[in-house]
Amino acid sequence: MSKISVIMPVYNAENTVGRAIDSLLSQDYEDWELILVDDGSLDDSLKVMREKTEKNDKVKIFSQSHVGAYAARNLGIGKANGPYVFFADADDELLPDALSVMVGQMGETGCDLLTCGYISVNKKNQIRKEISAPKGEFTGTEIRKNYTKWTADSDCKVLGSCWNKCFRLDIIKAHGIAFPAILRNEEEVFIMRYLEHAEKIVNIPDLVYLVYPIVLADAFVRLPEDFCEQVDLFRKERLHYAKKWDCDTKDARSFMRDLTDNNRTIYSH
């Protein structure tokens, strides 16, 4: 078996982190480690984390002052033992066979990046929506040359959030790949940085994750005061890779212009 490191940043998640941890403890795959990073929570998140994982030597808990999820994930990367890495959120859940599916596919295909299906649950009315795409294998060049296809037009997005993807720790560490010091869309920037060095990407339709998207009204409350500046930093990262990958197509330019006019900017879960 190959170990998979699950990294979970936690901030003021006392009502959900226990459920998230339970979903990992009930996995049908045994060779894992959970790296919990408390990002200066003001509630009882740390207490819940300790109670749920007491005497479990597969779990490591770290604390830092409140900086942001990006810093918590970077700390987790530094503590991970891999060879595979999965980033989970403290208000979601892994499906019971998530780790066995991901580790199995990473080993079988030898891919650098694995993207999987997931279930989105509306917090307001509890409507469940299964989101996946057919099994497929792609080269890094294909993805880099037409990233808008994999962001806007794909059901199971290569770019976007990290929680439906499995990464290789050796690629992350060999190239010093880290989450950027921004508070919005930092996951997508991390994925772009990773895709710079990924040569084999595999998509599978298997559902591995249960995500509870942020309610739009709650998202507005959580926006940082320098939200526009944060979006600008993200757009600069996107433009950097659009130019570097020579994918400055009409669709790419349109996507860049429209980025702040839809929910993609708000929804970086």
Side-chain angles (χ1 to χ4, degrees), residues 3-252:
K3 178 176 286 187
I4 181 168
S5 300
V6 179
I7 298 172
M8 185 184 297
V10 182
Y11 179 67
N12 290 350
E14 63 179 2
N15 295 323
T16 61
V17 69
R19 181 188 68 203
I21 292 172
D22 283 341
S23 74
L24 182 63
L25 297 177
S26 61
Q27 289 292 301
D28 64 5
Y29 188 77
E30 296 182 357
D31 195 4
W32 54 264
E33 65 175 356
L34 173 60
I35 301 171
L36 293 163
V37 183
D38 181 61
D39 184 40
S41 295
L42 302 176
D43 62 5
D44 285 332
S45 294
L46 190 56
K47 178 182 177 182
V48 174
M49 290 156 56
R50 287 170 174 164
E51 290 176 348
K52 282 286 182 180
T53 62
E54 186 178 11
K55 297 181 180 179
N56 191 322
D57 59 7
K58 293 183 179 182
V59 182
K60 304 172 185 177
I61 299 177
F62 301 93
S63 296
Q64 63 180 26
S65 57
H66 181 49
V67 181
Y70 76 88
R73 293 190 183 102
N74 287 338
L75 190 156
I77 289 171
K79 304 296 182 181
N81 293 301
Y84 306 128
V85 178
F86 179 77
F87 297 97
D89 285 349
D91 53 354
D92 295 330
E93 301 173 51
L94 285 81
L95 296 180
D97 62 348
L99 299 186
S100 60
V101 167
M102 289 189 289
V103 172
Q105 287 294 313
M106 292 291 286
E108 180 181 325
T109 65
C111 66
D112 297 325
L113 177 67
L114 180 73
T115 69
C116 312
Y118 58 95
I119 301 173
S120 178
V121 182
N122 187 297
K123 291 182 180 179
K124 183 177 181 180
N125 52 30
Q126 295 301 301
I127 293 177
R128 297 164 64 96
K129 181 180 180 182
E130 295 185 2
I131 302 171
S132 65
K135 186 169 184 176
E137 181 177 316
F138 313 93
T139 66
T141 301
E142 285 181 85
I143 305 297
R144 290 188 286 268
K145 289 292 184 182
N146 193 1
Y147 70 77
T148 54
K149 174 181 177 181
W150 305 106
T151 301
D153 302 329
S154 172
D155 289 329
C156 194
K157 297 173 175 57
V158 171
L159 293 177
S161 297
C162 288
W163 38 249
N164 71 322
K165 300 172 179 67
C166 190
F167 303 83
R168 289 186 176 274
L169 185 63
D170 59 348
I171 292 178
I172 293 173
K173 292 199 170 182
H175 301 284
I177 302 169
F179 288 84
I182 58 177
L183 302 178
R184 305 304 304 175
N185 300 88
E186 74 280 0
E187 293 178 60
E188 184 160 342
V189 174
F190 177 84
I191 296 167
M192 286 190 288
R193 292 176 174 179
Y194 187 88
L195 282 171
E196 176 81 357
H197 308 284
E199 295 306 328
K200 184 176 181 179
I201 295 91
V202 169
N203 181 85
I204 59 172
D206 304 60
L207 305 171
V208 302
Y209 200 73
L210 195 65
V211 60
Y212 297 86
I214 300 172
V215 176
L216 197 56
D218 294 340
F220 277 112
V221 173
R222 291 169 52 173
L223 293 180
E225 291 184 4
D226 61 346
F227 173 70
C228 292
E229 290 83 354
Q230 296 290 324
V231 171
D232 188 51
L233 290 172
F234 168 63
R235 288 170 65 93
K236 287 178 180 178
E237 288 274 358
R238 256 198 176 280
L239 183 59
H240 166 75
Y241 286 104
K243 290 181 176 180
K244 189 171 185 179
W245 297 342
D246 192 27
C247 55
D248 191 16
T249 63
K250 180 179 178 181
D251 287 342

